[in-house]
Amino acid sequence: MNFQIRDAITANMQGNSAEDIRGVIDDAISRGEEHLLPGLGVIFEKFWQQADPAEKQNVLADLESAFGKKVQ
């Protein structure tokens, strides 16, 4: 079976409102099931591809804070 996760997630998400997308993200996170992680990755990839440099920098700063900066 030639299953393309990007294509499937994109098809399932097309036309969704911001509220719908938030629901999908919140549900996937609250369930905590690892098989849902690739879908969240596709959602993040779509965001990243269309984000401008300032948006990317803001996300990177938030992620750095969320993961904690390594002390070297």
Side-chain angles (χ1 to χ4, degrees), residues 40-68:
L40 293 173
V42 172
I43 291 170
F44 184 77
E45 179 183 56
K46 291 290 186 183
F47 162 77
W48 195 259
Q49 289 172 340
Q50 61 84 41
D52 65 40
E55 288 175 311
K56 288 179 180 180
Q57 191 55 47
N58 287 338
V59 168
L60 292 172
D62 289 344
L63 290 170
E64 179 182 59
S65 176
F67 285 108

Side-chain angles (χ1 to χ4, degrees), residues 6-22:
R6 282 182 178 94
D7 294 340
I9 297 298
T10 299
N12 287 336
M13 298 297 290
Q14 277 187 321
N16 284 358
S17 68
E19 186 177 323
D20 293 336
I21 295 168
R22 181 172 185 137

